[in-house]
Amino acid sequence: MTSDLSLFALILEASLVVKLVLLVLVAASIISWTLILDRARVLGRARKLADRFEERFWSGGDLGALYKDLSQDEQGGQGLAVIFRSGFKEFVRLRKVEDTDMASVLQGAERSMRVALSREMDRLEAHLAFLATVGSTSPYIGLFGTVWGIMQSFHALGNLEQATLALVAPGISEALVATAIGLFAAIPAVIAYNRYSNQVERLNNRYEEFIEEFATLLQRQGRG
């Protein structure tokens, strides 16, 4: 309890610039934790939806029936489901067009799936850039607050005839709080960014593999 009060007192006694730095860092930390929890939910849901879709897709059922079911399902608008729907819809549409060879049909279907993949990756990667920015800049913002606070402390000592450590220590302590808060904001953001970037990359690879496998399946179906 005493340490909390001491920290609170240091913040209250800090200069205006240091207080502004601390405010920016606290706001960045709060936003980062909000995005960390949000990305955990989104990416976890994406993995579960991919597992469910692949189980249904590779069960050997009719693709037309699967497309119809996904079109009526809320989960059909995300992940592998939306990639499948985009490719299958374009495949069926182009096959109905007269004088369209199978190669053009397959290229159109794959192009449609690539567009859906790009949109899905944009959705999954949303806000990761902010976490990277917080992780890379927060320590320097905190360091700026620390340097500014130390400069103010030594500047105040210039008007005194006798300077002692007891006089300068409180000001330096106030300034060092900025560095500590900067690290507190940066470390979780860096860990989350690295973890979620890896998860997004694995999902991207999974989606890419599905596109190749589904394109091969469509090619066989077209020949049949």
Side-chain angles (χ1 to χ4, degrees):
M1 186 71 178
T2 304
S3 59
D4 293 340
L5 292 175
S6 298
L7 178 62
F8 187 68
L10 289 175
I11 295 175
L12 289 179
E13 295 173 4
S15 66
L16 177 61
V17 173
V18 175
K19 288 179 180 178
L20 290 176
V21 168
L22 292 176
L23 180 63
V24 170
L25 291 174
V26 170
S29 179
I30 293 174
I31 296 173
S32 294
W33 276 106
T34 301
L35 297 179
I36 287 171
L37 297 176
D38 176 72
R39 288 301 91 188
R41 178 186 60 82
V42 170
L43 294 176
R45 177 178 171 81
R47 290 193 302 271
K48 292 180 180 178
L49 290 178
D51 292 337
R52 294 176 186 174
F53 174 80
E54 286 186 333
E55 183 178 355
R56 295 177 64 183
F57 181 82
W58 296 113
S59 63
D62 180 67
L63 295 181
L66 177 59
Y67 173 82
K68 184 177 181 180
D69 292 341
L70 291 175
S71 299
Q72 300 173 351
D73 191 347
E74 294 181 356
Q75 298 179 356
Q78 296 181 1
L80 287 177
V82 72
I83 294 174
F84 162 77
R85 288 177 56 201
S86 299
F88 189 77
K89 180 180 180 180
E90 188 68 7
F91 176 78
V92 173
R93 187 187 71 82
L94 292 176
R95 287 195 69 181
K96 295 179 181 179
V97 178
E98 296 182 0
D99 301 329
T100 304
D101 59 274
M102 184 52 59
S104 298
V105 172
L106 293 174
Q107 289 177 0
E110 185 171 355
R111 183 167 54 251
S112 181
M113 287 190 288
R114 293 289 176 186
V115 172
L117 171 63
S118 178
R119 292 173 179 171
E120 185 65 13
M121 286 299 102
D122 288 341
R123 186 181 69 85
L124 295 178
E125 292 174 347
H127 309 308
L128 291 186
F130 180 83
L131 293 179
T133 301
V134 171
S136 61
T137 61
S138 291
Y140 296 103
I141 295 175
L143 183 61
F144 168 76
T146 297
V147 172
W148 184 273
I150 292 175
M151 288 174 55
Q152 293 298 309
S153 297
F154 281 107
H155 180 72
L157 290 177
N159 299 325
L160 300 177
E161 295 182 357
Q162 184 177 4
T164 63
L165 182 61
L167 293 175
V168 72
I172 295 178
S173 299
E174 297 165 8
L176 288 175
V177 172
T179 298
I181 299 299
L183 293 175
F184 177 79
I187 293 174
V190 170
I191 294 175
Y193 173 78
N194 291 334
R195 177 179 176 82
Y196 294 157
S197 295
N198 178 262
Q199 292 181 7
V200 169
E201 182 64 25
R202 292 172 63 182
L203 283 169
N204 182 69
N205 293 337
R206 192 171 180 179
Y207 295 166
E208 291 276 2
E209 291 175 0
F210 171 77
I211 290 176
E212 295 179 3
E213 293 171 346
F214 186 41
T216 301
L217 186 61
L218 291 177
Q219 185 176 11
R220 293 174 183 173
Q221 186 175 14
R223 290 175 180 176

